[in-house]
Amino acid sequence: MPTFSTEEVARLANLARIDLTPSELTRLAAELEVIAHAVEKVSEVASGDVPATSHPIPLVNVWREDVPVATLDRAEVLAQAPAAEEGRFAVPQILGEE
C-alpha cells in the first residue's frame, strides 16, 4: 500500500525545482495518496489476458482512398488569376516595406 509523506513530496519537488509551501506539500501528499490508491484498485482488477488499449472504441480512418487524379491545367488556372507572372501567381510584395 503506497504512502506519500510530505517529506517525500518535498524531496520530489526539490528534484523538480518546484518551490512548495508546507500547506501545498500536505495537500499534494494527500492527493498523491488518492491517486496511488486508485491505481492500486485498477491493478487489482486488471488481468494479464486483457490487452492494453488507448481508446475504448476502435478508431478507423474515414478518409477517402489516396488515388492519384489529373491535376488542374496550369495555364487555365493562371488565366483566372487576377495577376500572373512567369507561370506563377503574382501577389503584392508585403515584406521589406516601410
Side-chain angles (χ1 to χ4, degrees):
M1 202 167 186
T3 56
F4 287 92
S5 65
T6 55
E7 291 81 20
E8 181 67 13
V9 175
R11 186 182 75 78
L12 293 172
N14 185 43
L15 290 173
R17 308 274 196 270
I18 300 172
D19 190 23
L20 297 174
T21 65
S23 64
E24 289 172 325
L25 289 172
T26 305
R27 182 178 53 86
L28 286 172
E31 289 177 5
L32 286 171
E33 193 69 28
V34 170
I35 292 168
H37 285 294
V39 169
E40 188 176 71
K41 198 76 138 164
V42 170
S43 297
E44 289 174 6
V45 296
S47 64
D49 60 339
V50 178
T53 60
S54 63
H55 201 276
I57 300 169
L59 299 177
V60 294
N61 188 353
V62 294
W63 294 348
R64 65 169 173 79
E65 288 293 318
D66 190 14
V67 179
V69 295
T71 60
L72 297 173
D73 180 58
R74 178 186 292 224
E76 184 181 341
V77 171
L78 290 174
Q80 298 177 32
E85 189 175 289
E86 298 179 10
R88 294 178 285 209
F89 294 110
V91 297
Q93 180 178 351
I94 60 168
L95 300 176
E97 293 182 352
E98 293 180 2

